[in-house]
């Protein structure tokens, strides 16, 4: 759980389980907070803005994101949240707008950047670290 899982590792093809299945995947007791903290550490060490738990070998429905390193101009234009986010058991509610072409990279595919079609905005819900269900509407790189 200390580094990025790189393609073509079979782990990346596994279907992640809801977080309440945590005990099935860990030999030693570990909390979601500890997993999220490790994910932020690994993500920042690799200069990423988002990371899924499966990318560190933990097949759980959990991702972290921190776009605070994005330039202030981009933040204002895209309404980017200025704080880190921990998203547990996320579910997309609505995709908004006509898909647009964006260039993206993935930490599990080092050095690879591809053009992909993405909706410019998304509404989704997830639990935070306290178990509270929150609904988010995000745009741009965050979406």
């Amino acid at each position: 759980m200390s580094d990025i899982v790189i393609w073509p590792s079979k782990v990346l093809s596994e279907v992640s389980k809801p977080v309440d299945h945590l005990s099935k995947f860990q030999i030693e007791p570990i909390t979601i907070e500890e997993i999220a903290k490790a994910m932020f550490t690994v993500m920042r060490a690799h200069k990423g803005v988002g990371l899924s738990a499966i990318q560190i070998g933990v097949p759980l429905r959990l991702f972290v994101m921190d776009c605070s390193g994005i330039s202030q101009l981009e933040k204002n234009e895209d309404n980017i949240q200025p704080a880190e986010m921990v998203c547990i058991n996320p579910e997309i509610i609505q995709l908004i707008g006509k898909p647009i072409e964006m260039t993206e990279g993935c930490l599990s595919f080092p050095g690879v950047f591809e053009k992909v079609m993405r909706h410019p905005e998304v509404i989704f819900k997830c639990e935070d670290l306290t178990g509270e269900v929150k609904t988010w509407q995000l745009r741009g790189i965050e979406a």
Side-chain angles (χ1 to χ4, degrees):
M1 190 172 76
S2 63
D3 210 1
I4 301 287
V5 175
I6 304 298
W7 180 260
S9 172
K10 291 182 180 182
V11 170
L12 295 171
S13 298
E14 289 183 29
V15 176
S16 294
K17 304 289 185 200
V19 168
D20 60 6
H21 289 76
L22 180 61
S23 60
K24 284 179 146 179
F25 303 107
Q26 302 301 323
I27 294 169
E28 298 177 26
I30 187 168
T31 66
I32 292 299
E33 290 87 353
E34 291 169 317
I35 293 172
K37 182 178 177 182
M39 290 172 66
F40 277 117
T41 299
V42 170
M43 179 187 77
R44 289 180 178 127
H46 292 272
K47 305 206 182 327
V49 296
L51 188 68
S52 175
I54 197 74
Q55 290 179 274
I56 61 165
V58 179
L60 294 174
R61 293 184 57 212
L62 165 69
F63 75 88
V64 298
M65 181 170 54
D66 184 356
C67 293
S68 62
I70 305 291
S71 77
Q72 192 60 43
L73 177 62
E74 290 176 86
K75 286 181 192 176
N76 292 339
E77 288 177 355
D78 291 329
N79 193 30
I80 291 175
Q81 302 299 315
E84 58 186 39
M85 295 176 70
V86 176
C87 302
I88 301 167
N89 298 325
E91 292 180 43
I92 294 173
I93 297 170
Q94 183 179 1
L95 298 169
I96 301 171
K98 182 179 175 183
I100 58 173
E101 189 176 271
M102 298 177 74
T103 301
E104 290 190 12
C106 175
L107 296 176
S108 290
F109 293 82
V112 176
F113 294 88
E114 294 288 329
K115 293 184 185 298
V116 296
M117 298 302 289
R118 302 260 293 180
H119 290 271
E121 212 166 330
V122 63
I123 298 173
F124 74 99
K125 67 179 180 177
C126 65
E127 297 170 50
D128 66 13
L129 286 172
T130 69
E132 181 181 347
V133 176
K134 295 188 173 191
T135 300
W136 296 93
Q137 183 168 348
L138 302 175
R139 292 186 204 123
I141 192 169
E142 288 185 317

